[in-house]
Amino acid sequence: MSVIEVPDPSDERLADYVRLRDVNLRKSLEAEHGLFMAEGEKVIRRALRAGFEPRSMLLTDRRRHALDDVLDSVDAPLYIVTEDVAASLVGFDLHRGALASFRRRPLPAVDDVLRGARRVVVLEDIVDHTNVGAIFRSAAGLGIDAILLAPRCADPLYRRSVKVSMGAVFTQPYTRLDDWYDGLQPVRERGFGLLALTPGAGSLPLAEALDRAGRDRRIALLLGTEGDGLSSHWLDEADVGVRIPMAGRDVDSFNVTAAAAIACYELVRTVS
Amino acid sequence: MSVIEVPDPSDERLADYVRLRDVNLRKSLEAEHGLFMAEGEKVIRRALRAGFEPRSMLLTDRRRHALDDVLDSVDAPLYIVTEDVAASLVGFDLHRGALASFRRRPLPAVDDVLRGARRVVVLEDIVDHTNVGAIFRSAAGLGIDAILLAPRCADPLYRRSVKVSMGAVFTQPYTRLDDWYDGLQPVRERGFGLLALTPGAGSLPLAEALDRAGRDRRIALLLGTEGDGLSSHWLDEADVGVRIPMAGRDVDSFNVTAAAAIACYELVRTVS
């Protein structure tokens, strides 16, 4: 790896790192170049361990030796910039002092992700990158076999998702469904019971529904949008609605991150 | 309730609502006047239903009739302001258009909160208001009997906590320990088993520890700081360390909100 000091924030070689908080700019830039950003030494190391290839890495001069131990194994330039250059480049103080731009890999086929999987989570339209990151962190930590994303679900490799997931997006198997309307069909065809998480009337307590399904069943748990939950179409597609039992107390729902954590925990606990 | 149009953002009657995002100002102002803020119609209604007394309420003129149904039961002024006045007062666009300032109540004694409780959560030093709000929402939703806060734990009635909790902080029984060092003593004296949530070596899977404790045991679950977890002193004070089983996959911890949700779920599921 070559180590290069770059004094000018408008240097073309730093283009991957420009205006990290400009969501629209970043979305188009990252899609166009097939890249994603990792932030902080810990997360960068996890991306490397997971086999992602860096396009480049960037350290502030105070932290210039922070990644010395991985340099030999990395075939990409390391740019060293001052903290001022970093701030004017990315648009905020880069306290952690470490960024890297990685190549995306093509997402696997649905079939490949579902092969051998028994505990699957399907995210319909979680639009908030923080929530997607947090759900991946819980799912990976608990050992969910695969996550499927509806077409409009937020990108797990967007900077904020990566950061909140602490890099769990690198190791959690997942892919995206091509289609929303018929998206659950391949999951059902592969023998999965479809459980829709919904506080609606008529839903079964999650643990009870999983017990009924049996320990050796393949289960796909459907989670809906932050505000409105699952679409009525996906609710119709599901075999059964399930809920996390609530205590009353003038609380009528969980936040989606908490609900996902509990549901993944119960799924892993019950289905082996 | 009197309805009063206030055209001037520097009007003293609006002083409760000034610069809502200025954390330090708000902390001192709210402590000095013994008030807290509720944001959005839904959360304001929940505060009223929970019996909190408003000092005043504030609506933007477009939403001036949004709380008409509760006005008769409220003995406090309702201020109507333009959206511009609201924005210059609070420091951001007040999209939801509804704020209320409520009187705090004295926190109950530890004894009162623990009386009859079987499932208790103790938060050591959760410093982030978002996390405190999210934990209260999960705990209240699941039916945790009481939450105890260490002296340095963030304030559940701070605006951001209230908002993230969706008002669960109004119905979830809780109080604050006077003391950190000896804070767990009154809990132990009341017959609670102290379970410390920690991924450290030697901890038992949470479900196993709860099974061992038995269904009729009183359990207090200790949760530590976002970054470093529980202090070594509280770990020493606990009867046993417990963990949420993890799958490997280069993920070494859960986010505290997810961990708390899972732990509260397991606690309520196991201890009746």
Side-chain angles (χ1 to χ4, degrees), chain B:
Chain B
M1 171 172 248
S2 48
V3 179
I4 304 162
E5 307 220 357
V6 184
D8 175 5
S10 65
D11 191 304
E12 268 303 308
R13 291 172 293 182
L14 303 183
D16 283 5
Y17 303 95
V18 71
R19 284 159 50 200
L20 286 183
R21 284 197 179 143
D22 183 334
V23 179
N24 290 328
L25 170 74
R26 296 303 308 183
K27 277 184 178 170
S28 64
L29 189 154
E30 295 179 15
E32 189 180 335
H33 296 288
L35 64 91
F36 70 86
M37 302 302 304
E39 205 173 345
E41 292 164 38
K42 194 167 186 174
V43 171
I44 291 170
R45 286 170 199 280
R46 284 186 172 151
L48 292 170
R49 279 200 295 270
F52 285 95
E53 285 178 27
R55 289 161 55 95
S56 67
M57 308 207 291
L58 180 146
L59 292 171
T60 55
D61 44 13
R62 273 201 313 146
R63 303 287 305 147
R64 64 187 304 146
H65 295 297
L67 293 166
D68 277 4
D69 56 306
V70 302
L71 295 192
D72 281 351
S73 61
V74 168
D75 181 27
L78 166 61
Y79 301 124
I80 308 290
V81 301
T82 64
E83 298 208 13
D84 287 348
V85 167
S88 92
L89 176 68
V90 304
F92 55 92
D93 274 342
L94 197 65
H95 299 298
R96 299 197 190 184
L99 287 172
S101 167
F102 284 91
R103 291 190 175 82
R104 285 175 185 249
R105 297 190 288 227
L107 288 175
V110 171
D111 255 349
D112 292 336
V113 166
L114 292 184
R115 189 169 300 126
R118 309 193 66 78
R119 295 93 56 104
V120 171
V121 169
V122 193
L123 304 181
E124 193 179 14
D125 291 338
I126 310 279
V127 295
D128 182 284
H129 290 109
T130 300
N131 287 336
V132 168
I135 292 171
F136 268 71
R137 185 173 171 191
S138 294
L142 290 163
I144 291 296
D145 300 320
I147 295 179
L148 300 175
L149 308 175
R152 282 191 302 268
C153 188
D155 178 11
L157 289 182
Y158 189 74
R159 181 182 67 97
R160 179 83 193 145
S161 313
V162 170
K163 184 175 177 177
V164 170
S165 84
M166 298 290 289
V169 292
F170 306 140
T171 54
Q172 171 62 52
Y174 78 94
T175 195
R176 199 177 278 276
L177 302 168
D178 296 328
D179 186 39
W180 167 73
Y181 194 85
D182 294 318
L184 297 173
Q185 215 165 296
V187 188
R188 183 186 289 104
E189 282 167 5
R190 277 150 198 82
F192 283 86
L194 305 183
L195 272 55
L197 194 68
T198 171
S203 57
L204 281 178
L206 174 59
E208 189 182 326
L210 289 170
D211 278 343
R212 283 195 197 182
R215 286 193 75 81
D216 53 352
R217 189 72 200 277
R218 308 178 87 180
I219 299 289
L221 189 72
L222 319 183
L223 298 181
T225 315
E226 287 90 348
D228 298 329
L230 288 160
S231 66
S232 56
H233 175 57
W234 274 31
L235 283 173
D236 285 347
E237 291 283 297
D239 299 310
V240 61
V242 295
R243 64 184 150 81
I244 297 163
M246 300 199 73
R249 292 214 192 147
D250 210 8
V251 178
D252 57 8
S253 65
F254 293 102
N255 113 9
V256 69
T257 299
I262 293 169
C264 290
Y265 174 79
E266 185 64 74
L267 185 54
V268 169
R269 197 181 71 80
T270 319
V271 177
S272 56

Side-chain angles (χ1 to χ4, degrees), chain A residues 27-271:
Chain A
K27 277 185 178 169
S28 63
L29 189 154
E30 295 180 12
E32 189 179 336
H33 296 289
L35 63 90
F36 70 86
M37 301 303 304
E39 206 173 345
E41 292 164 39
K42 194 167 186 176
V43 170
I44 292 170
R45 286 170 199 281
R46 285 187 172 151
L48 292 170
R49 279 202 295 271
F52 285 95
E53 285 177 28
R55 288 161 56 96
S56 67
M57 310 211 287
L58 181 146
L59 291 171
T60 56
D61 45 11
R62 271 199 318 142
R63 305 285 305 146
R64 63 186 304 143
H65 294 298
L67 293 166
D68 277 4
D69 56 308
V70 301
L71 294 192
D72 281 350
S73 61
V74 167
D75 180 27
L78 166 61
Y79 301 123
I80 308 291
V81 301
T82 65
E83 297 207 13
D84 287 348
V85 166
S88 91
L89 176 68
V90 304
F92 55 92
D93 274 344
L94 197 64
H95 299 299
R96 299 195 189 185
L99 287 172
S101 166
F102 284 90
R103 292 191 174 82
R104 286 176 185 247
R105 297 189 290 226
L107 288 174
V110 172
D111 254 348
D112 291 336
V113 166
L114 292 183
R115 189 170 299 125
R118 309 193 65 79
R119 297 92 57 105
V120 171
V121 169
V122 192
L123 305 181
E124 193 178 13
D125 291 339
I126 311 280
V127 295
D128 183 284
H129 290 108
T130 300
N131 288 335
V132 168
I135 292 171
F136 268 71
R137 185 172 172 192
S138 294
L142 290 162
I144 291 295
D145 300 318
I147 294 180
L148 299 175
L149 308 175
R152 282 191 301 268
C153 188
D155 178 11
L157 288 182
Y158 190 74
R159 182 182 69 97
R160 179 84 193 144
S161 314
V162 170
K163 184 175 177 177
V164 170
S165 84
M166 298 289 290
V169 291
F170 306 141
T171 53
Q172 171 63 52
Y174 79 94
T175 196
R176 197 176 280 276
L177 302 169
D178 296 328
D179 185 40
W180 167 73
Y181 194 83
D182 294 318
L184 297 172
Q185 216 166 297
V187 188
R188 182 186 289 106
E189 283 167 6
R190 275 147 199 83
F192 283 86
L194 304 183
L195 273 55
L197 194 67
T198 171
S203 57
L204 281 178
L206 174 59
E208 191 183 326
L210 289 169
D211 278 342
R212 283 196 197 183
R215 287 192 75 81
D216 53 352
R217 188 72 200 278
R218 307 177 87 181
I219 300 289
L221 189 72
L222 319 183
L223 297 180
T225 314
E226 287 89 350
D228 298 329
L230 288 161
S231 66
S232 55
H233 175 57
W234 275 32
L235 284 173
D236 286 347
E237 291 283 297
D239 298 312
V240 60
V242 295
R243 64 185 149 81
I244 297 163
M246 300 200 70
R249 293 211 190 148
D250 211 6
V251 178
D252 56 9
S253 65
F254 294 103
N255 111 12
V256 69
T257 299
I262 293 169
C264 289
Y265 174 79
E266 186 63 78
L267 185 54
V268 170
R269 197 182 70 82
T270 319
V271 177

Side-chain angles (χ1 to χ4, degrees), chain A residues 9-28:
Chain A
S10 65
D11 191 303
E12 268 303 307
R13 290 172 295 182
L14 302 181
D16 283 5
Y17 302 96
V18 71
R19 282 156 55 200
L20 285 183
R21 282 194 180 148
D22 183 334
V23 179
N24 290 329
L25 170 72
R26 296 301 310 182
K27 277 185 178 169
S28 63

